Amino acid sequence: MLRVENCRKVYDEQTVLEHCSLELASGSILGLIGINGAGKSTLLHCISGAIPVDEGTITWKEQPVLDHPEVKQKIFLVQDEPVFAQTENARELIEYLSLFYPALESELFYDLLSQLKLNPKQPFSAFSKGMKRQVLMAAGLAAHPELLLIDEVFDGLDPFARRLLQGQLAAQTVEEGMSSILTSHRLSDLENFCDEYALLDKKRILHQNSMFQTQKELVKVHLAFDHPINPAMFQDLELLKLEIHSRMAQAILRGDHDEVEAKLRKQNPVILEIFDCTLEEIFLAQLEKREELQ
Amino acid sequence: MIHKKLLTAMLKKDFKLFLCLLLLDLLIMPFVYVNFPTMMDDASLLFNFYFIYLLLLIIILIRRQLGFTMKREEKIHDYQLPLTKRSLILTRLTAGILVFLIPYLIAWLIMGILMLDRHATVISIWNGTVQLMLAMMIYLCFCAWVFLRSRKSFQAMLTIAVWTLAPVFIVSASVDIMRGTVTYRYQLREFFTLLHDFGCLPGLFTLAAKGLICDSTFPSLGSCLLVDGVYLAAALPAVYQVTKNSAENEHKTLKQSALFKLMPLASAAGVMIWGSLTAVRPQQCLLSVILAAVLYLLIRFLSYSKIQFNKMMLLVLTVEFLVVQGIFWSWRVSGGWGMTHHTTVEDVYFITYYDGLGKIGSYYKYFNVENTVSLSKEDKEILIQAQVETDKRYRRQGLKDAVGMIQIIYRTHDDKYSYYLPYYADIMEPAIELLEEQDVPISTYLRVDYPGWENYFYLQGLSIKLF
């Protein structure tokens, strides 16, 4: 189990993370979301043990990660920007990584590469950014880590590569109990794939919950009335977002579906439709609510 | 501490490079010596070339094997691997040392063995090799420290260049000034030679060369090892600290280090000291202050990419200059705080050496008092009188009107000391005429060369000018 406790990270006198805490159970996939510059990549770097935190602790299965090679062997980070230190091609890369990751399975790596139609002997300089990311993700999966960290997970991947790597990741999660933390700007990538998500904002994890739970707690409603809408009619409800267009309204509310529906029915709407929120809507609603409170 | 699998993989990968470097090093060291043995008669060029090559090797080693990179992504990639930061750096450094420096050491040793019949002894080869290895370690630690603390490649290279070369130039310039122009050189000679050899990193390498060809007679291996030990005692903990993967370490940059902050100031201070040693007139003092300020601002500009005209720093430099200048002036006026001797005829047992060069037109007149052992009391009196007058004149007007130099070595009953005095024609020429009237044999002839021969040291016909 991953446990990030009360972490603080400062870069060049600028605090990136503060009082940041996160927990992740084995065998689950977490989507880490946040605006640009929120500190998602920094958090992944700290979890991987690549950089130290200024305060707080990061443990994997109760063991600290930083400066503990035996723990770091179980964690693999795929960065947003592909880097292949001192290796020229995929073959050299996997030989290099096999020095450090005892569980690394070369056959799986070559198998994934052949399915992705990538030549392991071709120099990286001839690869596009997407191809380089495919190689790194394949290497990360072939390393059979217990915790896989992928920054901007499907960024730059074609639909075929995305589906293949997504499938492999899901298979390893189910079969091996691998945990993953994925970040992406395309929240739709994460929505149908993650078990839970964490919103990183204001230098800390603002909200962490399972997708199921979140969708159960948040309700999106479309309303229409035969008279102009008075915002006061929503005062009994916990509003995250409200858009009113004359006699029509769209709102995201926190609460149980049935309770919300019952309260809204009392206002005698002409139309009342209830939907599940998408991750993007949840993300935007949370941010807007936070800005309102400020 | 060292990741064996990674080390083996790196050595396998770089084995061809090792062989190429070995061949290259064998070609440029023993091969050059065997084919051009006369080069050793003036070995300066050869050894300076070897050491510059070695410095380049070390910098390449650091950049290549340490995986030194300014790119954040590459650093993250390196440090996320399942080994500690220190282990990664030490493993890469070990691979680098084996690949880059071992061929150099092998070539050095073979050159020493080839020199056995001419200059070297078994002990000198051993001493030279020990010195070279220690110097390599010290320089490696310094470069590693700088690279790991830097955030900009240019910043790292500038720091290495300034701290490697600036002390050499400053100390060499000071030595030249002292040798060429200032009296009481003898007392300062050892100080400056030691400063030259130990005060700068390439000086450590020159000691290796001296060890190899001079049988380590100057300075002794013991004193070299002692100073090397001090350097290492400072360098190793610094590298140990800098390879630690801690938050405090990550935040520390080269700019924040005391060494980096001191760089412009220390370089300017060098000019100040040089100015204090040489300036006689107020205009020269002013020139030194301006030069020091320009140097300070230039290095600050290059290293921080912007000029920060710090008035306080300039004030500090000026005060420093005045203090140093004051100390040297008081030294001159007082006669050197007992560093010089008040010479009387009764003290002088005999004069082992008395010669000098004075400029006449475009030539130098060389004169040499021969058979000084047989000098009479009156003859000695003439020489001592000339010396005392010259001494007084120098304290009063510095080098103004001096057109050359005179070397005197006295042997007293219990001591031996030497002076280098300015050649004031109006004092020396009447003294020489008086001596000639006394039938003291004096040889005189004209020389066209510059009296800069003091920059060399001699050993069995071998001369080396180091940097």
Side-chain angles (χ1 to χ4, degrees), chain A residues 9-13 42 45 48-54 66-67 69 72-73 75-77 79 81 83-87 92-93 96-101, chain B residues 3 5-6 9-10 13 64-67 72-86 88 92 151 244-248 250-251 253 256:
Chain A
K9 181 71 200 166
V10 180
Y11 274 130
D12 294 330
E13 297 173 2
T42 303
H45 297 162
S48 73
I51 53 171
V53 286
D54 293 62
L66 189 73
D67 284 339
K72 286 168 88 178
Q73 275 178 354
I75 302 172
F76 195 98
L77 168 71
Q79 289 192 81
E81 195 64 38
V83 177
F84 306 98
Q86 303 184 324
T87 54
E92 279 186 22
L93 175 74
Y96 180 70
L97 291 176
S98 64
L99 299 171
F100 307 104
Y101 296 95
Chain B
H3 197 283
K5 279 186 185 173
L6 177 60
M10 289 177 83
K13 196 180 167 192
R64 188 176 180 273
Q65 298 292 353
L66 205 61
R72 188 172 157 71
E73 298 82 29
E74 290 176 9
K75 281 184 180 173
I76 298 289
H77 175 82
D78 282 346
Y79 300 148
Q80 68 133 331
L81 292 171
L83 69 172
T84 59
K85 181 179 173 182
R86 182 174 296 146
L88 179 70
R92 285 180 169 179
R151 297 233 176 133
K244 200 172 152 190
N245 197 10
S246 68
E248 307 86 63
E250 199 194 4
H251 295 159
T253 62
Q256 290 165 344

Side-chain angles (χ1 to χ4, degrees), chain A residues 152 154-155 157 162 184-191 280:
Chain A
E152 297 302 335
F154 299 120
D155 188 32
L157 300 192
R162 188 183 309 163
S184 177
H185 284 110
R186 293 173 55 177
L187 301 185
S188 55
D189 283 346
L190 302 176
E191 188 169 6
E280 193 161 317

Side-chain angles (χ1 to χ4, degrees), chain B residues 54-256:
Chain B
L54 178 61
L55 294 186
L56 284 175
L57 271 186
I58 289 176
I59 290 171
I60 293 167
L61 184 161
I62 291 286
R63 286 184 70 100
R64 188 176 180 273
Q65 298 292 353
L66 205 61
F68 170 71
T69 172
M70 296 303 160
K71 283 189 179 171
R72 188 172 157 71
E73 298 82 29
E74 290 176 9
K75 281 184 180 173
I76 298 289
H77 175 82
D78 282 346
Y79 300 148
Q80 68 133 331
L81 292 171
L83 69 172
T84 59
K85 181 179 173 182
R86 182 174 296 146
S87 175
L88 179 70
I89 290 167
L90 291 183
T91 306
R92 285 180 169 179
L93 263 182
T94 308
I97 288 166
L98 293 173
V99 172
F100 284 84
L101 297 186
I102 294 294
Y104 188 94
L105 268 178
I106 292 172
W108 175 269
L109 266 172
I110 291 175
M111 185 173 68
I113 291 165
L114 290 173
M115 285 165 70
L116 261 174
D117 62 328
R118 198 148 174 230
H119 303 293
T121 64
V122 174
I123 294 170
S124 76
I125 295 169
W126 164 251
N127 288 348
T129 309
V130 169
Q131 276 293 305
L132 186 67
M133 286 167 72
L134 285 168
M136 278 179 178
M137 279 180 71
I138 292 163
Y139 203 71
L140 208 55
C141 287
F142 172 70
C143 291
W145 180 84
V146 170
F147 276 121
L148 284 168
R149 277 269 187 268
S150 301
R151 297 233 176 133
K152 288 179 193 163
S153 186
F154 175 74
Q155 204 176 54
M157 297 306 288
L158 180 85
T159 306
I160 289 172
V162 169
W163 282 96
T164 302
L165 299 175
V168 181
F169 290 128
I170 290 167
V171 174
S172 294
S174 302
V175 170
D176 281 347
I177 297 289
M178 296 302 288
R179 282 170 175 166
T181 57
V182 181
T183 57
Y184 315 122
R185 188 199 69 121
Y186 180 77
Q187 289 83 353
L188 288 170
R189 180 176 157 187
E190 285 204 18
F191 167 71
F192 272 111
T193 308
L194 285 170
L195 195 63
H196 179 262
D197 290 342
F198 289 120
C200 52
L201 287 163
L204 293 171
F205 296 126
T206 66
L207 283 178
K210 285 182 182 178
L212 183 61
I213 56 176
C214 303
D215 204 5
S216 199
T217 48
F218 181 77
S220 69
L221 181 68
S223 63
C224 294
L225 293 182
L226 186 71
V227 180
D228 285 347
V230 172
Y231 267 96
L232 275 176
L236 290 177
V239 170
Y240 184 82
Q241 182 61 31
V242 87
T243 52
K244 200 172 152 190
N245 197 10
S246 68
E248 307 86 63
N249 233 352
E250 199 194 4
H251 295 159
K252 264 190 187 169
T253 62
L254 192 61
K255 272 187 187 178
Q256 290 165 344

Side-chain angles (χ1 to χ4, degrees), chain B residues 286-303:
Chain B
L286 185 67
L287 188 68
S288 297
V289 174
I290 292 168
L291 268 177
V294 168
L295 187 68
Y296 171 80
L297 290 172
L298 186 68
I299 293 179
R300 219 179 149 81
F301 170 72
L302 289 174
S303 49

Side-chain angles (χ1 to χ4, degrees), chain B residues 377-431:
Chain B
K377 190 181 173 184
E378 289 73 27
D379 301 334
K380 286 179 187 173
E381 190 72 63
I382 292 167
L383 288 172
I384 290 167
Q385 188 60 37
Q387 177 213 320
V388 171
E389 276 185 45
T390 305
D391 195 22
K392 280 182 186 168
R393 171 83 64 88
Y394 175 72
R395 290 182 200 175
R396 196 169 61 246
Q397 70 180 52
L399 294 172
K400 193 182 171 191
D401 300 333
V403 289
M405 54 187 281
I406 308 152
Q407 184 190 13
I408 309 170
I409 302 176
Y410 290 119
R411 170 79 47 94
T412 63
H413 286 284
D414 48 18
D415 203 1
K416 178 187 170 185
Y417 43 89
S418 90
Y419 297 124
Y420 274 71
L421 298 171
Y423 184 102
Y424 301 115
D426 59 324
I427 297 176
M428 284 316 301
E429 276 162 20

